[in-house]
């Protein structure tokens, strides 16, 4: 006879689509800022501020939004793993 309680527990996969999105949200600002050739210029200016400066300041806001999004997605992922009974959140 088979005993269902002896069946191995299956844990959710470590790499999931939500975690890939989280990684992309966190990596995008680094890539944007490390690719200096894309913004090392003065034109176009915005209210008298050269492109180099306002582009970097824009990325401060974008980075904040991406980090908050990644955090919210991470919380949702952890709640889902906890409700499934898997993960380290026990």
């Amino acid at each position: 006879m088979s005993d269902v309680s002896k069946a191995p527990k299956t844990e959710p996969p470590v790499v999931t689509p939500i975690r890939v999105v989280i990684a992309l949200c966190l990596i995008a600002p680094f890539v944007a800022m490390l690719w200096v050739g894309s913004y090392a210029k003065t034109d176009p200016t915005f209210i008298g501020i050269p492109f180099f400066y306002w582009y970097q300041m824009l990325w401060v806001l974008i980075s904040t939004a991406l980090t908050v999004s990644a955090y919210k997605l991470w919380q949702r992922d952890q709640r889902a793993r906890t409700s499934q009974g898997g993960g380290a959140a026990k």
Side-chain angles (χ1 to χ4, degrees), residues 16-32 59 62-63 65-67 69-70 73:
T16 60
I18 253 184
R19 289 186 175 193
V20 171
V21 171
I22 291 169
L24 290 174
C25 285
L26 296 175
I27 290 172
F30 288 102
V31 171
W59 269 101
I62 293 170
S63 298
L66 289 172
T67 303
S69 299
L73 287 170

Side-chain angles (χ1 to χ4, degrees), residues 48-66:
I49 302 170
F51 179 74
F52 180 81
Y53 295 111
W54 67 258
Y55 179 82
Q56 289 182 337
M57 289 301 108
L58 180 63
W59 269 101
V60 169
L61 300 175
I62 293 170
S63 298
T64 302
L66 289 172

Side-chain angles (χ1 to χ4, degrees), residues 3-86:
D3 190 6
V4 177
S5 65
K6 300 237 180 185
K9 286 188 175 183
T10 58
E11 294 188 18
V14 176
V15 178
T16 60
I18 253 184
R19 289 186 175 193
V20 171
V21 171
I22 291 169
L24 290 174
C25 285
L26 296 175
I27 290 172
F30 288 102
V31 171
M33 291 292 95
L34 290 175
W35 185 22
V36 178
S38 70
Y39 63 91
K41 52 189 172 185
T42 56
D43 289 329
T45 59
F46 176 68
I47 60 170
I49 302 170
F51 179 74
F52 180 81
Y53 295 111
W54 67 258
Y55 179 82
Q56 289 182 337
M57 289 301 108
L58 180 63
W59 269 101
V60 169
L61 300 175
I62 293 170
S63 298
T64 302
L66 289 172
T67 303
V68 168
S69 299
Y71 178 69
K72 292 297 182 182
L73 287 170
W74 180 258
Q75 283 182 327
R76 189 171 84 175
D77 182 59
Q78 292 304 304
R79 278 194 307 270
R81 285 177 175 270
T82 303
S83 68
Q84 291 175 355

